[in-house]
């Protein structure tokens, strides 16, 4: 036993700091060099100018001089004065290939008024020097040329305006936007419904933006409530969620009845159809809200006995936010970093999409850019980079938060804390542990890629008769999803262990798993109750935002379809609430692992004092008493708590 105990490596919080997983850092750096090479290749092939300035159907880039493309008539023209791309039929979408199925021309200006006849096209060309028909046609011959039907735009030509930066003439008519959306939403069979939905979004865009801002404000307020009044938060949050859920369901039923009574056959056909759509949507919302409220009430009833334990745990976490207020800002920095990377990723993807070689279409005689096989491999490499680097950014946030909370917990004299623990943790991450974060992100990527591939295959099999294959694929997707969640939880705790002991990823994951396995009962208790309370916070933010959205959209019932605006607002509200409350959840998990390590390797005696503060000691006592009473009532013993109580009493 003595030899075995000597082989055990003791935890030494913050005492030794060294670089971890250097080979993985080098591998990640090489991978990013490959990403930069793809970006440079896409820019050097001229794709950037085609993407930003646009090009016509003959391969000419608008706004610059062009070289002749062999075998392509009307190519190689000087388009310096013609900076805008004009589509003869902009609303003609190729659903399968997701592109505008129309001839494109370079013009000097976009038509700002409706052009009804070919004489109007002639007058516009003479007045503005902008030919809206194919280059081989002379403006004077527009009204009489026999090829005007195929070489000129469809009449009437709707008014349009150019997009900022990208210089495409886009129709100002909202109905055309709905046809653009049909290119992305191919599963909608009733196009008239889609037209009304898109029109509802466009007419409600100010309300949608206002409600998104409201969800952000509510999330910030809730974080403030968690920090300052954590003792009453759980009871208050529980009561408010019950009131909002029951009240929201009641209001939805009232609105459904009101719409059903107000909708009558005397309304015009288009308004009557909108009213019926709203009535159906409200009925669905009301039924869903009622079921959700009943399930929520049942869950709260069965978990009511564990509320006191959660209150004590949140009080400890709120003290951390009081000492480390910059923790609240972590979702902003992570979100901004992800947005910057995603914009870069999408830009490079678009550049790759236009970096192909010009090929003449034998059927239409127009130019298309086809992607060569090497470029397709670049796209796959670029797709893997999206997942790995995104997971890397999220893992950096986890490591930064873990490092800051670990510094707070294992600093006995809180007055000796760094001026900005978050900044100190970020510097330690960049100096020592980027390799560990890269390795953890890569493990998640290995699971996420096959899950996404199987999800795509499953979506392609919809409608097929092979139900067994669909069921097996769905089961594989669910298993991979569960594996991904388990690995994400283990990764987060591995980052905490790395922040404490500065060990490699595998060593940290093993040590964290052992600690969590020894305290499985308490892990389950804290995670279930804590996650449930934070879930109630997300429900509260989404419910309040949706309730405000229903009231706001109720004033536009005559021309607005509510389905998509409310879905957009609720999704955004949930994402914002999740970003903020996930930080609080992360702090709770880090505190618990630190506490478990503290109670396992310290006993409170001289030279082995606890690191925990008084508030956490009170939490230990209250939670121990609650669990001991429960076990005595059930006739059990306390052997499963031995790893947590080896030191004896904590008072």
């Amino acid at each position: 036993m003595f030899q075995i105990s000597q082989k055990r490596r003791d935890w030494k919080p913050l005492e030794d700091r060294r670089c971890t997983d250097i080979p993985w850092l080098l591998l990640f750096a090489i991978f990013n060099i490959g990403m930069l090479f793809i970006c440079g290749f896409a820019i050097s092939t001229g794709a950037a100018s085609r993407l930003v300035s646009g090009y016509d159907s003959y391969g000419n880039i608008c706004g610059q001089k062009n070289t002749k493309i062999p075998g392509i008539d009307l190519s190689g023209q000087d388009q310096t004065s013609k900076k805008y791309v004009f589509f003869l039929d902009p609303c003609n979408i190729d659903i399968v290939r997701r592109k505008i199925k129309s001839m494109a021309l370079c013009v000097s200006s976009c038509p700002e008024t409706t052009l009804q006849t070919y004489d109007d096209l002639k007058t516009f060309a003479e007045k503005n020097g902008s030919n809206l028909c194919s280059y081989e046609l002379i403006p004077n011959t527009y009204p009489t040329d026999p090829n005007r039907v195929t070489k000129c735009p469809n009449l009437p030509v709707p008014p349009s305006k150019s997009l900022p930066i990208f210089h495409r003439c886009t129709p100002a008519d909202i109905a055309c936007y709905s046809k653009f959306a049909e290119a992305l939403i191919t599963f909608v069979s009733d196009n008239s419904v889609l037209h009304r939905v898109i029109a509802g979004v466009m007419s409600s865009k100010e309300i949608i933006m206002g409600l998104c801002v409201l969800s952000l404000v509510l999330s910030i307020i809730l974080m403030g409530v968690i920090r300052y009044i954590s003792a009453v938060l759980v009871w208050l949050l529980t009561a408010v969620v019950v009131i909002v859920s029951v009240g929201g369901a009641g209001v939805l039923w009232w609105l459904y009845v009101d719409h059903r009574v107000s909708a009558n056959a005397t309304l015009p056909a288009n308004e009557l159809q909108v009213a019926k759509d709203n009535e159906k949507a409200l009925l669905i919302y009301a039924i869903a809200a009622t079921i959700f409220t009943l399930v929520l009430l049942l869950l709260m009833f069965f978990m009511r006995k564990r509320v006191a334990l959660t209150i004590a745990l949140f009080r400890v976490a709120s003290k951390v936010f009081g000492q480390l207020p910059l923790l609240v800002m972590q979702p902003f920095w992570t979100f901004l970093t992800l947005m910057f990377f995603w914009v870069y990723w999408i830009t490079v993807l678009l550049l790759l999409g236009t970096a192909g070689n010009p090929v003449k279409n034998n059927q239409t005689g127009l130019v298309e850019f086809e992607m060569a096989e090497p470029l397709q491999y670049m796209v796959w490499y670029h797709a893997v980079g999206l997942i790995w680097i995104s997971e890397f950014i999220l893992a950096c946030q986890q490591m930064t938060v873990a490092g800051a909370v670990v510094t707070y917990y294992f600093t006995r004299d809180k007055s000796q804390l760094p001026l900005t623990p978050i900044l100190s943790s970020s510097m330690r991450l960049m100096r020592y542990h980027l390799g560990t974060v890269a390795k953890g992100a890569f493990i998640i990527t290995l699971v996420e890629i096959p899950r996404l591939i199987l999800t795509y295959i499953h979506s392609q099999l919809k409608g097929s008769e092979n139900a067994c294959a669909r069921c097996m694929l769905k089961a594989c997707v669910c298993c991979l999803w569960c594996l991904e969640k388990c690995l994400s939880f283990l990764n987060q705790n591995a980052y905490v262990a790395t922040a404490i002991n500065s060990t490699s990823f595998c060593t940290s994951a093993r040590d964290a798993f052992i600690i969590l396995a020894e305290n499985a009962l308490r892990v389950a208790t804290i995670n279930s109750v804590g996650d449930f309370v934070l879930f109630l916070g997300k429900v509260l933010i989404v419910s309040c935002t949706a309730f405000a959205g229903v009231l706001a959209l109720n004033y536009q019932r005559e021309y607005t379809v509510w389905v998509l605006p409310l879905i957009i607002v609720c999704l955004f509200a949930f994402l914002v609430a999740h970003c903020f409350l996930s930080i609080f959840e992360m702090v709770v998990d880090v505190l618990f692992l630190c506490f478990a390590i503290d109670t396992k390797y310290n006993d409170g005696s001289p030279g082995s004092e606890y690191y925990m503060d008084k508030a956490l000691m009170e939490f230990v006592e209250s939670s121990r008493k609650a669990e001991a009473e429960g076990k005595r009532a059930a006739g059990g013993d306390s052997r499963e708590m031995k790893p947590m109580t080896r030191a004896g009493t904590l008072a």
Side-chain angles (χ1 to χ4, degrees), residues 7-12 16 18-22 24 399 433 435-437 439-440 443 490-516 593 597 600-601:
K7 293 181 180 179
R8 187 192 68 185
R9 179 188 53 76
D10 291 333
W11 293 67
K12 298 180 179 179
D16 185 19
R18 56 185 178 273
C19 295
T20 57
D21 296 298
I22 297 178
W24 281 94
M399 179 68 87
H433 306 310
T436 298
V437 172
K439 185 175 182 178
I443 292 175
L490 183 60
N491 278 11
Q492 178 178 320
N493 287 280
Y495 299 147
V496 178
T498 298
I500 295 173
N501 264 346
S502 193
T503 50
S504 64
F505 177 83
C506 292
T507 302
S508 300
R510 181 198 62 196
D511 295 339
F513 178 79
I514 292 174
I515 293 294
L516 294 175
L593 188 60
I597 295 169
K600 180 175 181 178
Y601 291 98

Side-chain angles (χ1 to χ4, degrees), residues 38 70 160 185 227 239 290 303 307 314 340 347 373 379 420 434 450 464 467 532 569 573 604 624:
I38 292 176
S160 61
I185 310 175
R227 175 181 174 184
T290 302
M303 300 184 73
V307 171
F314 277 27
F340 176 80
T347 302
E373 188 172 355
V379 171
T420 54
L434 286 178
S464 65
F532 180 72
V569 168
R624 177 186 296 174

Side-chain angles (χ1 to χ4, degrees), residues 338-350:
L338 284 173
M339 286 295 102
F340 176 80
F341 169 68
W342 289 343
V343 168
Y344 159 81
W345 187 88
I346 293 174
T347 302
V348 174
L349 182 65
L350 293 176

Side-chain angles (χ1 to χ4, degrees), residues 521-522 624-642:
L521 179 61
R522 182 154 306 188
R624 177 186 296 174
K625 290 178 181 178
E627 291 180 1
E629 291 175 0
K631 289 169 185 172
R632 284 197 300 269
D637 54 42
S638 59
R639 284 177 293 179
E640 66 271 31
M641 293 303 297
K642 284 183 179 180

Side-chain angles (χ1 to χ4, degrees), residues 82 84 86 106-111 115 121-133 139 142 169:
K82 300 177 180 179
Y84 304 100
F86 175 77
C106 294
V107 297
S108 57
S109 62
C110 303
L115 305 179
L121 296 179
K122 172 186 174 183
T123 303
F124 181 81
E126 293 174 347
K127 182 178 180 181
N128 299 282
S130 186
N131 300 344
L132 301 185
C133 296
Y142 284 176
C169 295

Side-chain angles (χ1 to χ4, degrees), residues 83 89 160 288 331 356 373 549 561 622 650:
K83 300 181 179 180
D89 189 7
S160 61
E373 188 172 355
V561 178
S622 61
L650 297 176

Side-chain angles (χ1 to χ4, degrees), residues 386-402:
L386 171 66
I387 301 175
W388 192 3
I389 297 177
S390 297
E391 292 294 337
F392 176 82
I393 294 172
L394 294 174
C396 285
Q397 173 185 274
Q398 294 177 348
M399 179 68 87
T400 301
V401 173

Side-chain angles (χ1 to χ4, degrees), residues 6 13 26 59-60 81 94 144 339 358 420 468 500 507 541 624:
Q6 288 297 314
L26 295 176
N60 300 300
S81 61
D94 187 343
T144 58
M339 286 295 102
T420 54
C468 181
I500 295 173
T507 302
I541 293 174
R624 177 186 296 174

